[in-house]
Amino acid sequence: MISRLRAALSRQLSHPSGAGGRIVARLMNRGNRGLNDLAIARLEVERGSRVLDLGFGGGLTFAPLWERGATVVGIDRAEDMVGAARTRFADEVAAGRLELHAGDVGRLPLADGAVDRVLTVNTVYFWPDLAAAFGEVRRVLAPGGRLVVAIRDMKVMQQLDPAVFSLRGPEELAAALRDAGFAEADVETPPGGRTHLIVARPAA
Ligand SMILES: C[S@@+](CC[C@H](N)C(=O)[O-])C[C@H]1O[C@@H](n2cnc3c(N)ncnc32)[C@H](O)[C@@H]1O
């Protein structure tokens, strides 16, 4: 029973859909706020920045990014999350402050250099091909841009279904970023060691 629940929760975290996905989105918006706030703080957003939240889930970064004067591009492979965001944030979409796309990190629906900042929080566990994924993020990031990847530590995540979550340490992610054309891929671990941020810039 517990393993069935764990598998169902893991699938929803990986690709939220239907009624279960709506519940999981609310839980993520509560439980992930602290880590997303840390990631936003390290993004160095400027007024007028165009920021991609890749795998935005319940969209909890949108309001804090608008408060900093950014316009937001949200991409998520879960059609239900994109549909919910279109309804909830219809005014911001109409005002041009939010652009939403259903899409996969393997093939982002954006032009080269389309965004100034990228954050992706609690998502890389679901990316089987890190080299291809980070290469694609590198492609859409403008020169002088900045990327923040945020994860929970493996000892936290190993409670979830290993068939759904690929667990990698922050140093492995930093190395994959450097291989994909990022420079200064620095690991930051807040006190407690339960989360990590990897802050990277595209190599010149
Ligand atoms: C655990 S949720 C995290 C949501 C949000 N970033 C947060 O911190 O609350 C992971 C999200 O990433 C999306 N996702 C997973 N793999 C993806 C991929 N390959 N391409 C685009 N989105 C993906 C899922 O659909 C889901 O909404």
Side-chain angles (χ1 to χ4, degrees):
M1 179 65 179
I2 290 192
S3 72
R4 277 223 302 273
L5 272 177
R6 185 176 80 147
L9 174 64
S10 298
R11 278 197 304 274
Q12 282 292 354
L13 289 167
S14 151
H15 195 145
S17 65
R22 288 194 288 280
I23 294 168
V24 161
R26 276 203 293 275
L27 293 175
M28 291 192 298
N29 278 0
R30 240 180 270 160
N32 294 340
R33 181 161 298 284
L35 186 54
N36 277 271
D37 285 348
L38 287 176
I40 290 171
R42 298 299 289 115
L43 263 187
E44 296 184 358
V45 173
E46 292 161 6
R47 296 203 81 73
S49 293
R50 195 166 140 85
V51 181
L52 168 61
D53 183 348
L54 178 50
F56 63 81
L60 86 174
T61 61
F62 297 170
L65 289 169
W66 292 324
E67 280 163 21
R68 287 164 172 76
T71 57
V72 180
V73 180
I75 298 180
D76 200 294
R77 70 175 171 184
E79 301 265 0
D80 286 2
M81 294 296 99
V82 177
R86 276 194 211 292
T87 303
R88 182 170 168 211
F89 300 111
D91 290 348
E92 287 80 4
V93 171
R97 295 204 295 158
L98 176 63
E99 181 183 315
L100 292 165
H101 301 277
D104 193 280
V105 67
R107 192 165 173 205
L108 294 172
L110 297 176
D112 295 1
V115 293
D116 309 301
R117 302 283 186 274
V118 180
L119 83 160
T120 192
V121 182
N122 286 326
T123 53
V124 292
Y125 330 110
F126 313 116
W127 300 354
D129 186 344
L130 265 194
F134 285 153
E136 188 61 354
V137 173
R138 169 76 185 82
R139 180 184 70 74
V140 302
L141 196 51
R146 194 173 175 90
L147 163 70
V148 178
V149 178
I151 57 168
R152 294 195 190 281
D153 191 75
M154 285 197 265
K155 59 182 178 292
V156 181
M157 300 312 293
Q158 68 195 7
Q159 297 160 29
L160 291 155
D161 185 348
V164 178
F165 282 76
S166 300
L167 301 188
R168 304 173 180 104
E171 296 299 345
E172 183 183 346
L173 295 173
L177 283 167
R178 287 189 283 267
D179 288 348
F182 285 86
E184 301 171 36
D186 295 329
V187 173
E188 300 176 9
T189 299
R194 294 173 67 81
T195 58
H196 308 279
L197 304 172
I198 304 100
V199 182
R201 290 187 167 283

